Amino acid sequence: MKLAIDANRLLSEIEALAAISEADPPAVTRILFTATDLKARAWLRQLCEAAGLAVRQDAVGNIFARWSGSDPAAPAVGTGSHIDAIPNAGKYDGVVGVLGGLEAIRALQRSGFRPKNSIELVMFTSEEPTRFGIGCLGSRLLSGSLSADAARKLTDSDGESLDDVRRKAGMRGELEDVKLPPGYYKAFAELHIEQGPLLERERIPLGIVTKIAAPASGRISLEGAGGHAGAVLMPDRRDALCAASELILAIEKAARASGSTDTVATVGMCDVFPGAINSIPSRVRLSVDIRDTDLARRDSVMQTVEAAAQKIAAHRQVVIQISITNADAPADCDPAVIEALSKSCEEHGLKFLPMISRAYHDSLFMSRIAPTAMLFIPCEKGYSHRPDEYSSIEDIARGTTVLAETLARLSA
Ligand SMILES: [Zn+2]
């Protein structure tokens, strides 16, 4: 298919959206349902309407912009991403998938293509966890991965509930109605910057994501016995920090021994009580984050960690409690969508790298309700979530071309 991406227009739209920000340029900050976020949303809706798309918004603020196909009752082909940005972030994370998705639709319109299945652009609410502490809020609700009841219990750091905040922001309807009916999408493809260095390093312009990794994360508390650092002799100690140290190394060992480099485990937080030079640590709190592309393998690493914790607790006479706060399952991307993306790359003579998404994306949740895959473009040095995040317009335009071709293949 002959597809002409209007790269200049796309670039100027990316710049225009970056200017709707709470941070000084080049940094971008757009937090859910702030005045800035609402302004960006209104701006995007107006662009979609100008492209002739039918725009609707659900109760949590997910925006859908639909190009009606010749069989409007058939399941739609979806694309999209997010436009919220963590404090002091860059211009491209999420934005490339939303504005690139819109330009892909416009390029298809200009080419004379007419889809059989409707093509729908989605802007997901709050992919970033900044305001309510949970990432992918919109896609979790859409896919039924988060219940309306659980969503209503979410509060921000000011104690305001999601329900109050969204209503004040003008979102109407009930959270129950956000969940999409079964079979709503025939397929879903998300364009995104890689947020890692592999494509740039390999000098390959595109990545096709075959698996999306997901974390199990939680807190570990260890209770031992405190005491004077001089007076309590070594045989009598129940030092919580020594136990924690053994456990941290056991977590590292379990991840290394999983049999796959896709398994990663991190203890990123360690609070020691009372935290004095001459006092034996009586209590330690750790965080743990274990990620994998394979749920069974991740679960087996968790079991290894739990068994190690029991052993350490017994021989050090401390109490160890592990509470997992979040354990989303990883996802396999769909073979048919992967094939549509691969064929589209080949059609345009573009090399691609099959790869794994190690970060979270809305596609993780879309994969629960629709055949889903992702397309990555390079970003300089792999930098993301920082003001110097950068993807060239050439790379963005290439990704947009392949996305447009893919949407055409899936909707023909
Ligand atoms: Zn993102």
Side-chain angles (χ1 to χ4, degrees), residues 320-344:
I320 303 181
Q321 279 180 319
I322 302 180
S323 71
I324 296 302
T325 45
N326 178 39
D328 293 310
D332 284 328
C333 291
D334 179 76
V337 184
I338 292 172
E339 188 184 285
L341 286 163
S342 314
K343 289 244 167 80
S344 301

Side-chain angles (χ1 to χ4, degrees), residues 17 28 42 57 67 76 88 98-99 103 106 122 125 129-130 140 146 152 177 189 195 198 234 244 331 339 343 392:
L17 182 51
V28 176
Q57 179 170 265
W67 181 18
N88 214 37
V98 175
L99 295 179
E103 176 56 22
R106 290 186 305 221
V122 192
T125 281
T130 317
R140 278 180 201 269
L146 178 72
R152 258 190 294 272
D177 301 332
Q195 301 179 290
L198 293 181
M234 298 314 280
E339 188 184 285
K343 289 244 167 80
S392 74

Side-chain angles (χ1 to χ4, degrees), residues 81-82 93-95 127-128 190 192-193 195 360-362 385:
S81 196
H82 61 100
D93 174 9
V95 167
E127 193 269 345
E128 305 291 0
E190 179 175 4
H192 206 281
I193 62 169
Q195 301 179 290
Y360 241 47
H361 294 289
D362 291 304
H385 281 191

Side-chain angles (χ1 to χ4, degrees), residues 331-376:
D332 284 328
C333 291
D334 179 76
V337 184
I338 292 172
E339 188 184 285
L341 286 163
S342 314
K343 289 244 167 80
S344 301
C345 289
E346 283 157 17
E347 170 91 19
H348 291 269
L350 295 165
K351 279 212 317 188
F352 64 88
L353 188 68
M355 57 198 310
I356 287 164
S357 171
R358 298 186 188 278
Y360 241 47
H361 294 289
D362 291 304
S363 284
L364 181 67
F365 297 96
M366 293 310 284
S367 75
R368 316 269 202 254
I369 55 161
T372 296
M374 296 185 74
L375 180 65
F376 277 175

Side-chain angles (χ1 to χ4, degrees), residues 238-288:
R238 295 165 54 214
D239 185 320
L241 185 56
C242 290
S245 311
E246 275 195 47
L247 185 55
I248 292 168
L249 292 177
I251 291 167
E252 185 195 36
K253 192 171 158 202
R256 283 182 186 267
S258 81
S260 169
T261 51
D262 286 350
T263 316
V264 288
T266 308
V267 174
M269 285 157 65
C270 177
D271 290 329
V272 181
F273 183 84
I277 191 168
N278 57 355
S279 181
I280 300 164
S282 60
R283 197 166 73 220
V284 172
R285 292 221 158 82
L286 303 175
S287 67
V288 63

